[in-house]
Amino acid sequence: MGYNLSMRLWRGDVDGGSLADFTVEVEEGEVVLDAIHRVQATQAGDLAVRWNCKAGKCGSCSAEINGRPKLMCMTRLSEYDQSETITVTPLRTFPVIKDLVTDVSFNYEKAKEVPAFAPTAPDADGKRRMSQVDVERGQEFRKCIECFLCQDTCHVVRDHEENKPAFAGPRFFLRYAELDMHPLDTNDRRKLAQSAAGLSMCNITKCCTEVCPEHIKITDNAIIPMKERVVDRKYDPLVWLGSKIFRR
Ligand code: SF4
Ligand code: F3S
Ligand code: FES
């Protein structure tokens, strides 16, 4: 059954903006993105919103719904009381372009800083081999849809523009961890994660894990193991000695 939904949508651009009120007809079973599209179609044709797949797979429709970082296409209206006003604002950690659309290029810059996979030499028959358990370990990390909700929610950069140059963020700790755990990669990801990506600035609050729509255990399976590996390398006398000898 249909009903009238009250919405407050942030409207503005890089120079500032404010919340605008709308009342829109919605149907049971619809998602927040449906309601926004109806506002766009019937009342505000110039409302800017980024989306693509409407299936939780492209990572484009990230926004903050009643203050929580979420995918608009995966957030059902039935999660809220019909009398409740749903407020949608752009991701706070990134600069606004227009209305609900933000400039997420910070993340692409950070992606460029992660050195590409650098494999070991192949075996004598020209093939490279790794065990199934190592293949499976990386699968969880590869589910990332680059919605950047984890980046948006992390307090190290949320409201702390000054930390951005030194901090890659949870999405990229995932990438560092995936490559570090890859038995055929030759780069020293641990050192990079610590020095260039600011792993030590993460104090494992786990907010990133809580908002991940792919339910990737970012903190437990990527960040904490990476931190442990960095510590092992730094404080284990054998690891330390080994790294000195092999560097000569
Ligand atoms: Fe989105 Fe999860 Fe990937 Fe972060 S790790 S960008 S929250 S899918
Ligand atoms: Fe930020 Fe996640 Fe660490 S929210 S502080 S990267 S555990
Ligand atoms: Fe693709 Fe929402 S539109 S994830």
Side-chain angles (χ1 to χ4, degrees):
M1 248 198 19
Y3 65 98
N4 282 329
L5 171 73
S6 299
M7 294 195 99
R8 306 194 87 191
L9 307 179
W10 194 88
R11 303 224 52 196
D13 57 25
V14 69
D15 296 322
S18 58
L19 290 168
D21 289 309
F22 296 94
T23 303
V24 66
E25 251 185 75
V26 292
E27 297 293 327
E28 231 171 79
E30 287 189 321
V31 293
V32 170
L33 187 60
D34 291 318
I36 287 179
H37 280 160
R38 196 151 308 118
V39 169
Q40 208 181 32
T42 58
Q43 304 169 52
D46 63 342
L47 175 71
V49 54
R50 188 189 281 131
W51 67 284
N52 201 321
C53 69
K54 216 171 166 260
K57 285 295 160 218
C58 73
S60 308
C61 68
S62 302
E64 304 200 358
I65 304 174
N66 287 358
R68 282 194 62 82
K70 280 172 158 272
L71 294 178
M72 289 186 273
C73 74
M74 297 305 283
T75 307
R76 293 200 171 275
L77 295 176
S78 56
E79 288 180 31
Y80 306 89
D81 196 272
Q82 292 190 359
S83 61
E84 193 178 342
T85 300
I86 297 184
T87 303
V88 187
T89 50
L91 297 177
R92 190 159 105 189
T93 302
F94 309 115
V96 167
I97 298 175
K98 187 174 185 294
D99 302 334
L100 302 177
V101 178
T102 50
D103 176 0
V104 292
S105 50
F106 162 79
N107 300 289
Y108 303 124
E109 292 308 314
K110 293 297 172 185
K112 280 191 224 159
E113 289 170 13
V114 186
F117 176 60
T120 50
D123 296 339
D125 60 2
K127 293 182 180 165
R128 290 185 178 84
R129 290 174 176 80
M130 59 192 281
S131 59
Q132 188 58 28
V133 65
D134 288 324
V135 173
E136 279 157 16
R137 193 176 297 120
Q139 290 301 322
E140 179 189 12
F141 304 152
R142 298 191 76 86
K143 288 195 306 182
C144 173
I145 58 168
E146 301 222 296
C147 64
F148 306 130
L149 291 175
C150 57
Q151 302 283 93
D152 177 59
T153 204
C154 177
H155 70 96
V156 177
V157 282
R158 192 172 170 92
D159 299 325
H160 288 286
E161 200 61 31
E162 71 281 8
N163 287 339
K164 282 186 177 172
F167 188 73
R171 190 277 168 262
F172 298 101
F173 296 146
L174 212 61
R175 181 77 182 130
Y176 278 104
E178 181 196 339
L179 289 164
D180 191 50
M181 293 174 194
H182 198 301
L184 301 181
D185 182 62
T186 54
N187 265 319
D188 187 345
R189 309 284 169 182
R190 275 165 258 186
K191 218 160 130 193
L192 279 168
Q194 191 74 348
S195 58
L199 183 67
S200 60
M201 294 165 87
C202 159
N203 50 1
I204 50 177
T205 55
K206 298 198 180 187
C207 314
C208 50
T209 303
E210 276 172 31
V211 299
C212 179
E214 285 294 316
H215 308 293
I216 303 170
K217 293 200 170 68
I218 309 172
T219 323
D220 287 352
N221 291 352
I223 295 177
I224 293 174
M226 274 301 272
K227 278 180 177 282
E228 283 169 354
R229 287 157 89 110
V230 170
V231 170
D232 281 356
R233 192 190 172 97
K234 251 175 144 177
Y235 300 111
D236 182 328
L238 283 177
V239 176
W240 179 83
L241 192 64
S243 74
K244 292 287 166 200
I245 292 168
F246 291 123
R247 214 176 278 153
R248 276 186 196 147

